Amino acid sequence: MTALSLVPVADPTARVDFDDEEQVSQIITLDRPQTGAPDYAAKYRRLLQLLSKGRFEAAYDLLCSVRDAFPGDEALGRSIRLLRDHLSAKYATRLEDLDVVPCVVRRGVPLEEHERRVLSLVDGVSSFGELLLTSPLAQFDTLRALHTLIHLGVIADDVVASASRRPPPPTEVGPTPGPVEPTPTEVRRLLAPLEALDGFWGSALVDSASGRALGVYGADPRSLEQLGAIYGELLQVERRATEALGLGEPEDLIVTRSDEYHLLRPLRGRPDVFICLITRRPASNLMLSRLALAEVDREVDAALVGLGALDVSYC
């Protein structure tokens, strides 16, 4: 028995046509390996019902429940990742502003263990972005728990705390700040939160004008420095094309390789400086990586206002 392709869609509530049976094989089989084995045919029928009704969370849980029976099935793993990416996009829509600070507004609601663990981190001070980066759970599990807590009315946006995190509008134009020269320890602190991402390999802070890595954090500093120089040239080409065509500045650029994702995010305050993040594709979640980059962008941008020529620092 072959299962049907799980293809992410823009509207999480829309019905989906699953008609490509080539992508995913043997998620659920009619051949029972032994007496008393689970009825995978029934699970397969249940999966089709859930997908046809747009119940993607339940479909995801069902697929995960049979994964142990097929540990080497790459197609099953690919289907789980596709569905997880779709759900991540759905959850991230609610958490689009990572600066928002949640607070607990309702207690006594029955919760799952992972939801209680995430709830214990909600302190009225940490933003959604900080909770995603500091949670001991995997990024997807944290994102899902936060979405559930919001849906159940357990947590809500703290308007006052969220407003306090946003800088006030400028009142006057002051002198241009001097160069900021962070120490290797400071660069490490700024880039280190990205290590919490599933599939993390390395990150770098790069000056695209010179192609020079201003700081790197990862297992292979030399390779990160070389990649930074290459991608500095790529961003220069992108900037020229943006100006020539009158387009808006890109939030990020994504280079997809067979085994890796390379994400490039120019700093909002200093678009000539960018963060390069490299993750191992099979283990990483692209949506969560972009969310994490947006959060680190804020920290790095604030610390490197007026960034000048710096010495390369390896972390």
Side-chain angles (χ1 to χ4, degrees), residues 54-66:
R55 296 180 58 189
F56 300 124
E57 286 91 349
Y60 174 81
D61 291 337
L62 177 59
L63 287 179
C64 290
S65 72
V66 301

PDB file of all heavy atoms in Angstrom, residues 54-66:
ATOM      1  N   GLY A  54      -8.542  18.531   6.136  1.00  0.00           N
ATOM      2  CA  GLY A  54      -7.635  19.598   6.526  1.00  0.00           C
ATOM      3  C   GLY A  54      -7.188  19.526   7.970  1.00  0.00           C
ATOM      4  O   GLY A  54      -6.699  20.520   8.524  1.00  0.00           O
ATOM      5  N   ARG A  55      -7.274  18.364   8.591  1.00  0.00           N
ATOM      6  CA  ARG A  55      -6.851  18.205   9.984  1.00  0.00           C
ATOM      7  C   ARG A  55      -5.369  17.794   9.996  1.00  0.00           C
ATOM      8  O   ARG A  55      -5.005  16.647  10.263  1.00  0.00           O
ATOM      9  CB  ARG A  55      -7.730  17.181  10.692  1.00  0.00           C
ATOM     10  CG  ARG A  55      -9.195  17.606  10.799  1.00  0.00           C
ATOM     11  CD  ARG A  55     -10.024  16.555  11.504  1.00  0.00           C
ATOM     12  NE  ARG A  55      -9.503  16.282  12.849  1.00  0.00           N
ATOM     13  CZ  ARG A  55      -9.930  15.282  13.626  1.00  0.00           C
ATOM     14  NH1 ARG A  55     -10.890  14.468  13.181  1.00  0.00           N
ATOM     15  NH2 ARG A  55      -9.399  15.099  14.808  1.00  0.00           N
ATOM     16  N   PHE A  56      -4.516  18.754   9.714  1.00  0.00           N
ATOM     17  CA  PHE A  56      -3.108  18.457   9.478  1.00  0.00           C
ATOM     18  C   PHE A  56      -2.355  18.114  10.752  1.00  0.00           C
ATOM     19  O   PHE A  56      -1.405  17.337  10.722  1.00  0.00           O
ATOM     20  CB  PHE A  56      -2.454  19.629   8.763  1.00  0.00           C
ATOM     21  CG  PHE A  56      -3.074  19.941   7.427  1.00  0.00           C
ATOM     22  CD1 PHE A  56      -3.555  21.207   7.152  1.00  0.00           C
ATOM     23  CD2 PHE A  56      -3.202  18.953   6.475  1.00  0.00           C
ATOM     24  CE1 PHE A  56      -4.136  21.477   5.926  1.00  0.00           C
ATOM     25  CE2 PHE A  56      -3.771  19.216   5.253  1.00  0.00           C
ATOM     26  CZ  PHE A  56      -4.251  20.493   4.963  1.00  0.00           C
ATOM     27  N   GLU A  57      -2.756  18.703  11.895  1.00  0.00           N
ATOM     28  CA  GLU A  57      -2.088  18.347  13.149  1.00  0.00           C
ATOM     29  C   GLU A  57      -2.302  16.871  13.472  1.00  0.00           C
ATOM     30  O   GLU A  57      -1.363  16.148  13.828  1.00  0.00           O
ATOM     31  CB  GLU A  57      -2.601  19.208  14.304  1.00  0.00           C
ATOM     32  CG  GLU A  57      -2.108  20.628  14.300  1.00  0.00           C
ATOM     33  CD  GLU A  57      -3.037  21.544  13.537  1.00  0.00           C
ATOM     34  OE1 GLU A  57      -3.940  21.024  12.841  1.00  0.00           O
ATOM     35  OE2 GLU A  57      -2.856  22.776  13.623  1.00  0.00           O
ATOM     36  N   ALA A  58      -3.548  16.423  13.332  1.00  0.00           N
ATOM     37  CA  ALA A  58      -3.846  15.019  13.614  1.00  0.00           C
ATOM     38  C   ALA A  58      -3.155  14.097  12.612  1.00  0.00           C
ATOM     39  O   ALA A  58      -2.681  13.016  12.963  1.00  0.00           O
ATOM     40  CB  ALA A  58      -5.365  14.794  13.598  1.00  0.00           C
ATOM     41  N   ALA A  59      -3.073  14.520  11.342  1.00  0.00           N
ATOM     42  CA  ALA A  59      -2.381  13.722  10.328  1.00  0.00           C
ATOM     43  C   ALA A  59      -0.891  13.623  10.649  1.00  0.00           C
ATOM     44  O   ALA A  59      -0.281  12.558  10.505  1.00  0.00           O
ATOM     45  CB  ALA A  59      -2.602  14.334   8.947  1.00  0.00           C
ATOM     46  N   TYR A  60      -0.320  14.728  11.093  1.00  0.00           N
ATOM     47  CA  TYR A  60       1.104  14.730  11.475  1.00  0.00           C
ATOM     48  C   TYR A  60       1.347  13.771  12.636  1.00  0.00           C
ATOM     49  O   TYR A  60       2.296  12.973  12.617  1.00  0.00           O
ATOM     50  CB  TYR A  60       1.517  16.149  11.855  1.00  0.00           C
ATOM     51  CG  TYR A  60       2.918  16.258  12.407  1.00  0.00           C
ATOM     52  CD1 TYR A  60       4.020  16.294  11.559  1.00  0.00           C
ATOM     53  CD2 TYR A  60       3.140  16.319  13.777  1.00  0.00           C
ATOM     54  CE1 TYR A  60       5.303  16.391  12.062  1.00  0.00           C
ATOM     55  CE2 TYR A  60       4.418  16.422  14.296  1.00  0.00           C
ATOM     56  CZ  TYR A  60       5.498  16.456  13.437  1.00  0.00           C
ATOM     57  OH  TYR A  60       6.769  16.545  13.953  1.00  0.00           O
ATOM     58  N   ASP A  61       0.494  13.818  13.649  1.00  0.00           N
ATOM     59  CA  ASP A  61       0.652  12.928  14.798  1.00  0.00           C
ATOM     60  C   ASP A  61       0.514  11.465  14.379  1.00  0.00           C
ATOM     61  O   ASP A  61       1.224  10.586  14.895  1.00  0.00           O
ATOM     62  CB  ASP A  61      -0.387  13.266  15.875  1.00  0.00           C
ATOM     63  CG  ASP A  61      -0.118  14.615  16.532  1.00  0.00           C
ATOM     64  OD1 ASP A  61       1.034  15.070  16.495  1.00  0.00           O
ATOM     65  OD2 ASP A  61      -1.080  15.211  17.066  1.00  0.00           O
ATOM     66  N   LEU A  62      -0.397  11.197  13.449  1.00  0.00           N
ATOM     67  CA  LEU A  62      -0.591   9.831  12.988  1.00  0.00           C
ATOM     68  C   LEU A  62       0.652   9.321  12.265  1.00  0.00           C
ATOM     69  O   LEU A  62       1.111   8.197  12.496  1.00  0.00           O
ATOM     70  CB  LEU A  62      -1.811   9.756  12.072  1.00  0.00           C
ATOM     71  CG  LEU A  62      -2.120   8.386  11.447  1.00  0.00           C
ATOM     72  CD1 LEU A  62      -2.342   7.338  12.544  1.00  0.00           C
ATOM     73  CD2 LEU A  62      -3.336   8.473  10.548  1.00  0.00           C
ATOM     74  N   LEU A  63       1.231  10.153  11.405  1.00  0.00           N
ATOM     75  CA  LEU A  63       2.430   9.742  10.684  1.00  0.00           C
ATOM     76  C   LEU A  63       3.593   9.496  11.654  1.00  0.00           C
ATOM     77  O   LEU A  63       4.350   8.537  11.500  1.00  0.00           O
ATOM     78  CB  LEU A  63       2.819  10.801   9.665  1.00  0.00           C
ATOM     79  CG  LEU A  63       1.937  10.913   8.414  1.00  0.00           C
ATOM     80  CD1 LEU A  63       2.443  12.030   7.510  1.00  0.00           C
ATOM     81  CD2 LEU A  63       1.894   9.612   7.646  1.00  0.00           C
ATOM     82  N   CYS A  64       3.717  10.358  12.647  1.00  0.00           N
ATOM     83  CA  CYS A  64       4.790  10.172  13.627  1.00  0.00           C
ATOM     84  C   CYS A  64       4.589   8.884  14.425  1.00  0.00           C
ATOM     85  O   CYS A  64       5.559   8.236  14.834  1.00  0.00           O
ATOM     86  CB  CYS A  64       4.848  11.378  14.573  1.00  0.00           C
ATOM     87  SG  CYS A  64       5.444  12.898  13.791  1.00  0.00           S
ATOM     88  N   SER A  65       3.334   8.496  14.634  1.00  0.00           N
ATOM     89  CA  SER A  65       3.069   7.296  15.430  1.00  0.00           C
ATOM     90  C   SER A  65       3.481   6.014  14.727  1.00  0.00           C
ATOM     91  O   SER A  65       3.729   4.998  15.378  1.00  0.00           O
ATOM     92  CB  SER A  65       1.577   7.231  15.785  1.00  0.00           C
ATOM     93  OG  SER A  65       0.787   6.902  14.640  1.00  0.00           O
ATOM     94  N   VAL A  66       3.570   6.047  13.380  1.00  0.00           N
ATOM     95  CA  VAL A  66       3.971   4.845  12.651  1.00  0.00           C
ATOM     96  C   VAL A  66       5.434   4.900  12.210  1.00  0.00           C
ATOM     97  O   VAL A  66       5.929   3.961  11.611  1.00  0.00           O
ATOM     98  CB  VAL A  66       3.075   4.614  11.410  1.00  0.00           C
ATOM     99  CG1 VAL A  66       1.625   4.475  11.822  1.00  0.00           C
ATOM    100  CG2 VAL A  66       3.241   5.733  10.391  1.00  0.00           C
TER     101      VAL A  66
END
